[in-house]
Amino acid sequence: MNINVNDYLIVATIIFCIGALGVLIRKNLITIFLSLELMFNAANLGFVAVSEYLNLMSGDIFVIFIMVVAAAEAAILLGIAIAFYREKGTIDIDKANELKM
Amino acid sequence: MEALFYIFSIIAIFSALMVISVKNPLTSALYIILCFFALAGFYILLNMQFLAAMQILVYAGAIAVIIVLAIMLLNLAKTKGAIKDFHQLVIGIIAVGLLFLEVILYIDAAGEKKPTGIYTNAIINKVGNTQIIGEFLFTKYVFPFEVASILLLVAVIGAYIFAKK
């Protein structure tokens, strides 16, 4: 059987769902960020697969911009994690509750 | 080709599952590097070698190193209780399962579509995908390209301000 675009999209969906589950259930800030990266990568895979299927290049250009955003996000996350750790002594996001009523 | 696709998908899905299930964040970071490499394999199967190289350089190289650096700086050995409470686990699994089902239904419902573009694999291989991407970046997408550079500048300044005492 031949591999078509749907198979790539199904793999991308599985990885995206795993990433979303990680964001929902984990407490650790670093692991949540890694799950976000998984979701970014699943979106990238979908873009490239559809772009190859439709013989377009726009999806591949989008992937490059998504990589730029992910890199910027990684740098910001490092700063936030250090500031949060300095404040609280942990990176458990359940401790980020200053806005609690 | 089919065998490679299945190998890459098994590695990618397995490592993604390990990322969200192992306790130690450093192990998670190592598993996500494995996932990035498997996805780079997908890009090569899809005839996008430049993106595969970028995937390995930017994700597995830069971002994963930043994560490992953050883990080193933060001394995470003390964090315990990796997963939130039971209700959140159940609700998360059900919500994500529904999301998966909905997207699969959506993919199944989408019918065949005719290719609309001109960039077939033969043309991409003849010109070279790096050259095509470069031409797009500096002609049609030059404004987003400049905005992306400003975004990176903002990220550098923001990271400095956050991390500064």
Side-chain angles (χ1 to χ4, degrees), chain B:
Chain B
M1 281 305 179
E2 281 107 61
L4 280 178
F5 175 82
Y6 288 121
I7 291 171
F8 287 143
S9 4
I10 288 169
I11 293 175
I13 292 168
F14 168 75
S15 55
L17 276 175
M18 293 308 279
V19 166
I20 69 161
S21 57
V22 295
K23 267 214 165 85
N24 189 348
L26 185 60
T27 321
S28 288
L30 295 180
Y31 271 113
I32 208 168
I33 293 176
L34 183 60
C35 189
F36 290 157
F37 273 94
L39 287 165
F42 278 130
Y43 295 160
I44 289 179
L45 285 187
L46 287 167
N47 204 23
M48 265 296 136
Q49 289 85 2
F50 178 73
L51 286 184
M54 280 297 111
Q55 171 89 6
I56 292 174
L57 284 175
V58 174
Y59 274 112
I63 292 178
V65 167
I66 285 183
I67 297 303
V68 175
L69 187 72
I71 293 170
M72 182 195 80
L73 285 175
L74 295 181
N75 180 23
L76 301 180
K78 284 184 290 185
T79 55
K80 52 176 175 255
I83 289 179
K84 295 188 178 191
D85 65 348
F86 178 71
H87 293 290
Q88 190 138 13
L89 183 67
V90 172
I91 292 169
I93 288 176
I94 292 175
V96 168
L98 286 178
L99 173 70
F100 178 71
L101 209 66
E102 285 154 10
V103 179
I104 293 296
L105 286 176
Y106 182 74
I107 291 173
D108 268 351
E112 290 285 313
K113 204 165 181 311
K114 282 262 182 295
T116 51
I118 56 164
Y119 292 96
T120 59
N121 280 347
I123 291 178
I124 291 176
N125 282 335
K126 191 166 148 243
V127 183
N129 59 44
T130 312
Q131 184 177 340
I132 294 179
I133 287 176
E135 280 168 4
F136 264 104
L137 273 184
F138 286 105
T139 54
K140 191 177 172 190
Y141 292 93
V142 67
F143 181 68
F145 182 76
E146 297 295 336
V147 173
S149 64
I150 294 175
L151 175 71
L152 283 175
L153 179 69
V154 170
V156 169
I157 297 171
Y160 172 71
I161 288 176
F162 272 127
K164 197 175 63 162
K165 190 88 180 172

